[in-house]
Amino acid sequence: MFRRVLIANRGEIALRVIRACRELGIETVCIYSDEDRGAAYLDVADRAICIGTGAPKDSYLKSERIIASAEIAGADAIHPGYGFLAENAAFAEKCRASNIEFIGPTAEAMRLLGDKATARSIAKKAKVPIVPGTEGILENDDETLKFALKVGFPVMIKASAGGGGRGMRIVRQKGELLDAIKQAQQESLGAFGSSDVYLEKFIEEPRHVEVQIIADHNNNIVHLGERDCTVQRRYQKLMEESPSPSIDAKTRKELCASAVRLVKAAGYTSAGTVEFLVDKKGKYYFIEVNTRIQVEHPVSEMVTDFDLIKAQIRVAANEPLGITQRQVDPRGHALECRINAEDPAHNFRPCAGMIEKYRPPGGFGVRVDSYAHEMCRISPRYDSLIAKVIVHQPTRDESIRCMQRCLHEFVIEPVKTTIPFLKRVLAHADFVKGTIDTSFVERAFPQEK
Ligand code: ADP
Ligand code: ADP
Ligand code: MG
């Protein structure tokens, strides 16, 4: 097992990893930027090292400096969290070249599955249904137009290296397609360093259902069931739950088996998520793999009673997974709300500043993953996620009631948060029925979309 782990991240996920390490008897080294100096979660780590100024490119993305810090601190592994360098194959390679384990998949598996276009071709080979789309990246206008006319409009242009809800664009008419592609290529180059884009059929009113998997180095791969992340705004998830209220047992079984087949085909190890869209007829299509731990991983942890971060660390240290598929036995229902420092009354604009009053919820079946506290300053520079509230109850109805109670208790002032908006979603009849699709927020709350 590792003796000391460096956490190349910040905020709630840094604290989540510090906690898992301490329970495993592993020392922790946290890195931080100027902007995060003095943050309370850093005190929980054994050591904290400043690695630069506030802009991510000058700190949390400085791979050489992060690896040097790990060397100086004597860390034998690096946990990347999510975002920042988590899906950067070159970083994983550099860590290992410096004899520091990267807690995640191999660089090779990350390249195969992290790139959306490559992942699609692996899925196809593994007989996993994919969204109808172009083969590989777009190279010429004729092929593009031919495809769009074949599947019909609207179509979606997607950046192969895209993520975080960015790098996607809907095109509704033929006349707009070629210009839109040129713009998408430019944007993708700027945002993700690659101009590779491809076309996908736009699936009307789908649900987002994803499968959590984890694999060790001994060919043991298990899935931890699915999460439903259909409540989204601008392609970003707001709430997640497990099990999904919208799929039947047969679809669930096929989805999970497809996810396992796909990661197996890529020789994948560590934790990962295979994302799918499910259409109105219950047909499912692969969209992408996230080759990292995800924001919503606690939902699966609660229903399966399995600590994914500890498992990720153990597997990276070459230890066996310790469970088999037959031992995974999901119980009850879990629901997560993302509490972001954004003002829903003003188009979800980021709302940073000092939290003066902070009273998190608690009680039966309630988990709060957060780095916040009273007199904690929320920086405008980073992801706006302040806290995740996760509830675990016997049934979905009870989870919804429990979450409503939690959001009623949760006080964060004066920083504006998404809590008022999440309350309205929880009270909406369609959400309660479990009949929504990804256009729910846009349709039910047109002012807020
Ligand atoms: P990201 O890498 O940003 O997470 P994804 O490919 O996972 O991008 O897509 C994010 C969301 O965008 C999906 O959950 C879904 O709501 C929407 N989406 C993606 N592809 C399609 C599609 N082909 N048709 C309809 N909606 C889509
Ligand atoms: P999840 O599927 O775990 O919910 P999100 O799409 O919400 O993942 O992303 C989690 C974090 O990672 C966010 O901070 C998001 O901005 C960041 N992120 C994900 N993919 C990328 C990417 N390709 N480039 C930059 N940031 C990303
Ligand atoms: Mg995604």
Side-chain angles (χ1 to χ4, degrees), residues 23-42:
E23 289 176 21
L24 288 170
I26 300 170
E27 289 175 25
T28 49
V29 181
C30 222
I31 56 163
Y32 64 93
S33 70
D34 267 356
E35 188 84 3
D36 284 328
R37 185 183 303 280
Y41 68 89
L42 295 171

Side-chain angles (χ1 to χ4, degrees), residues 76 138 251 274 338:
D76 37 18
L138 293 182
T251 309
V274 185
R338 297 191 189 197

Side-chain angles (χ1 to χ4, degrees), residues 116 158 162-165 168 208 210 232 235 237 275 287-290 292 294 296:
K116 292 184 184 187
K158 289 175 91 166
M168 276 174 295
H208 175 115
E210 59 187 33
Q232 302 182 352
Y235 309 130
K237 299 160 187 168
E275 298 190 330
I287 46 171
E288 68 153 346
V289 179
N290 288 151
R292 55 174 163 89
Q294 271 180 306
E296 60 273 24

Side-chain angles (χ1 to χ4, degrees), residues 303-324:
V303 291
T304 58
D305 202 17
F306 183 78
D307 188 319
L308 275 162
I309 305 286
K310 280 190 197 164
Q312 229 189 347
I313 296 169
R314 280 201 309 268
V315 163
N318 244 323
E319 290 188 5
L321 200 48
I323 48 158
T324 59

